[in-house]
Amino acid sequence: MATKQREAKLLPEVLEFLTQPKRLLIGGEWVEAASGQTFATIDPATDEEICQVPLAGAEDVDRAVSAAREAFEDGRWSQIDPRKRAKVLYAIADALEQKAQTIAQIDTIDNGKPVGFAFGEAIHSAQVYRYFAGWCDKVYGETNPTAPQTFIYTLREPVGVCGQIIPWNFPSAMAAWKVAPALAFGNCTVLKPAEETPLSALFLGQIAQEAGLPDGVLNILTGDGENTGAPLAAHPGLDKIAFTGSTEVGRKILQASSISLARVTLELGGKSPNIVFPDADLSQAVPQSAFGIFFNSGQVCTAGSRLLVDKRVHDQFVEQMTAAAQGWKVGDGLEDGTMVGPLVSRQQLDRVTNYLAIGPSEGAQVATGGKRVEGTKGYFVEPTVFTGVKPDMRIAQEEIFGPVLSVMSFEDTDEAIRMANDTMYGLASAVWTKDLQTAHKVARGIRAGTVWVNTYGPSDPGASFGGFKASGIGRELGVHALDAYTEVKTVWMSL
Ligand code: ADP
């Protein structure tokens, strides 16, 4: 449990949820892990245990995949009138919205993020369910142009049984991005939340049951990568694996999928360039660039972690950015006014503080920040701006996943594009300019799945999202989710 002082800030429903015994959701039943094993989920603001959660193992994975298979094969979800599926998804969306405060507090305790941002995430999650609810009865096939004696048409059918493995940085939103499209198109799924943040996924399981989702359609396994994620990814009974997380684990998932030949979508790491031209409106570019790197304590796959600034505005921009960084208040996510919560885990704290040491050792200068926050057991680090960064430094190439910005300067548009593309990643990017030609040239030139122009970081259920290069395979959200969660069947008729 959280400490007494923090408990006083929690809603009764959150306290009740936290004290309930935690179980796996398999085939509509809440059950313990077959091994009886559990693990602690930790409050990153205090370094204390919140509660114990089941550690699912290979036997539980097998049961969950079988439950999803049974549900899929008997058609209780895949074969019903799509409007009935939509009704359930709308009900989940409504419940998520009604319980957004509760979900926000659960995610704040479990992940550390400021509760206002966690609330926004819960609302976004509701919007994702609502968006995909609208898709349920709008899945069309095609009539193919063929020789006169043949009539060919296509059907879009559900892929089948999905294994969906999500990270800890946006526990509610990542669950929604995975589960909502899978369900909308008639699939059944096994969801594995990250071991750092298992709680809101279990709460989602309760909501889905109350919304009338049939048993076995959504199964939820809490556990870590080794015991739970790996056997799930390698399970021969899967038709589809969807993963969001590190590029390193993404490679393992792809290898594991070779057993089942499940279709794979991967949303992996990033080192996204945020490019500022001299004609940019700095009153917008500075605060939004700060948002781009400090939001969620920089633990965002699309974080604008490489700031590329035209050398003519470099000094002015750095000065304003430094002031902006100092305005991002670090603290307990349950406190009013906190903008930067703790990092999610001790491991993440070690990783980020290691990069805070690597930067200066490579010759970068610290314009602001650069240290762990002292005097607390929580995993807090200061919003940090490194200047004098060179493209080949590790802090310019490697994903830090913390509130750490690497600033570089460029001479002209071609150099900006070259620098932007000089990483193994290609997830997101942004360009700040009032000049249309520059904006379009950069948008075309950057090899990344998203290019924001004069904004940083917005997300919308209707906007497809995914990566080029080592940032992933496939697209989530928007119309392209259809490709990820349906199979095309071609039907031939001889006339
Ligand atoms: P991060 O480095 O940001 O913690 P990871 O890629 O390690 O992200 O983890 C993302 C998700 O992948 C988590 O749910 C984690 O448990 C899971 N995971 C980690 N290792 C494996 C693995 N070998 N196979 C399947 N899932 C894994």
Side-chain angles (χ1 to χ4, degrees):
M1 268 314 284
T3 55
K4 286 273 168 260
Q5 204 186 1
R6 288 164 63 70
E7 272 177 41
K9 291 187 193 288
L10 299 178
L11 295 165
E13 192 180 25
V14 174
L15 287 169
E16 192 199 322
F17 172 74
L18 293 179
T19 46
Q20 283 168 6
K22 302 295 174 293
R23 300 278 187 261
L24 309 172
L25 180 58
I26 300 179
E29 303 285 328
W30 292 95
V31 297
E32 290 182 16
S35 67
Q37 278 186 284
T38 61
F39 66 99
T41 185
I42 305 290
D43 181 344
T46 60
D47 189 36
E48 286 171 17
E49 176 178 326
I50 304 167
C51 59
Q52 290 282 321
V53 174
L55 178 65
E59 198 180 330
D60 305 297
V61 167
D62 214 33
R63 281 158 61 209
V65 173
S66 297
R69 174 62 60 194
E70 193 185 318
F72 182 71
E73 299 292 342
D74 75 11
R76 71 186 80 161
W77 184 250
S78 58
Q79 302 294 329
I80 61 172
D81 181 338
R83 281 163 293 202
K84 289 192 177 154
R85 286 207 298 267
K87 207 169 165 194
V88 174
L89 292 188
Y90 280 123
I92 294 176
D94 290 346
L96 288 174
E97 210 163 62
Q98 278 156 18
K99 293 182 182 294
Q101 298 279 9
T102 302
I103 295 164
Q105 287 196 345
I106 292 171
D107 275 345
T108 294
I109 291 283
D110 214 12
N111 165 285
K113 64 179 65 199
V115 73
F117 289 140
F119 179 78
E121 181 180 337
I123 296 294
H124 168 83
S125 304
Q127 287 166 351
V128 171
Y129 282 93
R130 202 163 281 137
Y131 173 81
F132 282 108
W135 263 106
C136 292
D137 57 357
K138 296 173 193 67
V139 179
Y140 292 86
E142 293 131 7
T143 309
N144 302 41
T146 52
Q149 292 78 16
T150 320
F151 169 44
I152 303 181
Y153 65 92
T154 58
L155 296 170
R156 287 263 186 182
E157 298 186 350
V159 178
V161 173
C162 309
Q164 301 185 303
I165 301 174
I166 57 170
W168 43 260
N169 57 343
F170 293 102
S172 296
M174 290 299 102
W177 286 28
K178 296 284 179 285
V179 171
L183 299 190
F185 300 125
N187 301 281
C188 295
T189 189
V190 178
L191 174 72
K192 192 201 89 61
E195 55 271 41
E196 293 84 352
T197 55
L199 296 180
S200 58
L202 296 176
F203 194 74
L204 168 71
Q206 295 181 3
I207 284 180
Q209 283 190 314
E210 284 162 19
L213 191 70
D215 292 348
V217 174
L218 168 64
N219 304 275
I220 301 173
L221 299 180
T222 50
D224 60 15
E226 186 188 339
N227 291 287
T228 321
L232 179 58
H235 199 286
L238 294 185
D239 300 302
K240 157 87 190 170
I241 304 174
F243 170 78
T244 297
S246 61
T247 295
E248 185 194 346
V249 174
R251 290 194 174 100
K252 292 185 190 168
I253 302 273
L254 202 52
Q255 273 178 346
S257 74
S258 71
I259 298 169
S260 60
L261 290 176
R263 286 85 189 92
V264 179
T265 41
L266 302 174
E267 198 265 276
L268 309 175
K271 192 76 185 173
S272 299
N274 181 23
I275 309 175
V276 180
F277 285 91
D279 63 338
D281 175 357
L282 295 197
S283 73
Q284 292 295 317
V286 171
Q288 289 204 43
S289 298
F291 177 85
I293 183 62
F294 302 132
F295 170 60
N296 218 39
S297 304
Q299 302 168 129
V300 186
C301 49
T302 56
S305 52
R306 289 187 300 144
L307 182 68
L308 312 183
V309 196
D310 185 292
K311 71 175 193 325
R312 287 166 286 178
V313 282
H314 174 273
D315 292 355
Q316 185 187 357
F317 199 95
V318 165
E319 192 183 321
Q320 291 186 27
M321 188 71 191
T322 300
Q326 288 162 358
W328 276 67
K329 184 167 172 263
V330 182
D332 178 348
L334 290 175
E335 298 278 348
D336 287 344
T338 294
M339 303 276 283
V340 184
L343 298 173
V344 74
S345 63
R346 179 162 291 283
Q347 189 190 356
Q348 193 58 20
L349 176 70
D350 291 344
R351 176 189 169 88
V352 174
T353 49
N354 185 38
Y355 280 105
L356 293 179
I358 290 171
S361 78
E362 288 184 306
Q365 288 93 52
V366 180
T368 185
K371 297 191 301 297
R372 180 180 179 182
V373 176
E374 302 295 339
T376 162
K377 287 202 291 174
Y379 316 137
F380 299 93
V381 296
E382 297 171 345
T384 298
V385 176
F386 281 128
T387 56
V389 178
K390 299 284 173 282
D392 58 349
M393 290 181 181
R394 287 183 63 190
I395 57 166
Q397 291 292 335
E398 297 174 17
E399 186 175 45
I400 299 174
F401 231 60
V404 183
L405 181 66
S406 297
V407 185
M408 294 173 267
S409 65
F410 63 83
E411 301 261 348
D412 58 30
T413 310
D414 288 335
E415 187 183 22
I417 294 172
R418 256 196 323 275
M419 287 170 76
N421 287 332
D422 178 22
T423 99
M424 69 175 191
Y425 296 112
L427 192 58
S429 57
V431 50
W432 294 88
T433 180
K434 294 200 192 84
D435 185 81
L436 276 175
Q437 268 182 321
T438 306
H440 286 297
K441 183 174 178 181
V442 175
R444 289 242 179 138
I446 291 182
R447 294 190 42 79
T450 294
V451 183
W452 289 296
V453 180
N454 294 333
T455 183
Y456 202 99
S459 171
D460 189 287
S464 299
F465 179 82
F468 282 37
K469 303 187 324 193
S471 288
I473 297 177
R475 295 293 178 270
E476 299 189 289
L477 304 183
V479 61
H480 296 102
L482 196 62
D483 296 328
Y485 287 98
T486 60
E487 290 274 21
V488 175
K489 178 183 280 178
T490 304
V491 182
W492 290 63
M493 295 186 74
S494 176
L495 299 179

